[in-house]
Amino acid sequence: MLVNALIVVVTVVLMELFSIAAHKYVMHGFGWGWHRSHHEPRTGWFEKNDLYALVFAGIAIALIFYGTRGAHPLEWIGAGMTAYGFLYFVAHDGLVHRRWPFTWVPRRGYLKRLYQAHRMHHAVEGKDGAVSFGFLYAPPVAELKRRLHVLHQGAPRRPGRDAATGRPDAPASSADAR
């Protein structure tokens, strides 16, 4: 059972690494047609970008199905993908994008850094020039601000938005920007 638990944990870590690459090169590349909806104001409960979650859920279900029919350890890899999907739903869809019926903005620690990093990802318009492609890993905010500045020297950012929070122009001394 310890080996199976290790497979689940390693899969969660590998899914984050895979997701960083997929987000940067697929979603902000040839897959922009689905992902664009995520960078635009949502008009309903769902967005076209949610199709990515359905694809990965389908893969996880298939792995669990074949793993439980003798192709071990596929079921544990599928379970790790499912655990990653749950963490993504909680951190990304819930915390950052507020797709839950309640809101909470973290004021310190890892969750604040994750929140700020993803808001900086959305601080630019379009698919090019974004930073921070992880969903559970967030580089240091100061590094992301530096990269945004280098990438966009003189270029407009999303109008009226604070780069650190993604909110309407917040003063640099606000609690979210610190």
Side-chain angles (χ1 to χ4, degrees):
M1 194 48 116
L2 188 59
V3 170
N4 296 336
L6 182 61
I7 290 170
V8 170
V9 170
V10 168
T11 300
V12 169
V13 171
L14 292 176
M15 280 300 300
E16 177 65 1
L17 297 174
F18 171 80
S19 293
I20 290 169
H23 189 189
K24 186 172 185 174
Y25 299 109
V26 174
M27 295 175 187
H28 281 254
F30 67 86
W32 180 249
W34 284 5
H35 191 61
R36 176 187 293 121
S37 67
H38 182 64
H39 285 264
E40 296 171 344
R42 194 169 359 97
T43 56
W45 192 255
F46 296 103
E47 54 192 41
K48 199 170 190 180
N49 183 67
D50 293 333
L51 292 171
Y52 284 112
L54 291 177
V55 168
F56 290 117
I59 294 169
I61 289 166
L63 290 171
I64 293 168
F65 176 82
Y66 289 112
T68 58
R69 277 151 186 78
H72 304 292
L74 293 183
E75 70 271 33
W76 300 109
I77 295 170
M81 287 180 69
T82 302
Y84 181 83
F86 175 76
L87 293 171
Y88 169 90
F89 173 73
V90 169
H92 180 265
D93 285 351
L95 177 68
V96 176
H97 290 291
R98 301 179 179 155
R99 291 177 78 175
W100 298 342
F102 62 90
T103 61
W104 173 69
V105 177
R107 300 288 179 208
R108 63 183 169 279
Y110 162 75
L111 291 178
K112 178 182 178 182
R113 182 168 133 177
L114 184 67
Y115 178 85
Q116 287 180 311
H118 200 75
R119 299 309 299 173
M120 282 194 278
H121 174 78
H122 284 270
V124 299
E125 236 175 290
K127 69 178 187 173
D128 298 320
V131 296
S132 188
F133 292 91
F135 295 114
L136 300 178
Y137 168 73
V141 172
E143 171 62 17
L144 293 174
K145 285 181 181 181
R146 186 195 66 73
R147 287 192 349 225
L148 269 175
H149 179 72
V150 168
L151 286 169
H152 300 283
Q153 286 181 344
R157 59 180 166 79
R158 180 169 279 179
R161 298 284 177 182
D162 178 85
T165 66
R167 292 182 176 172
D169 280 326
S173 63
S174 75
D176 284 344
R178 275 188 251 136

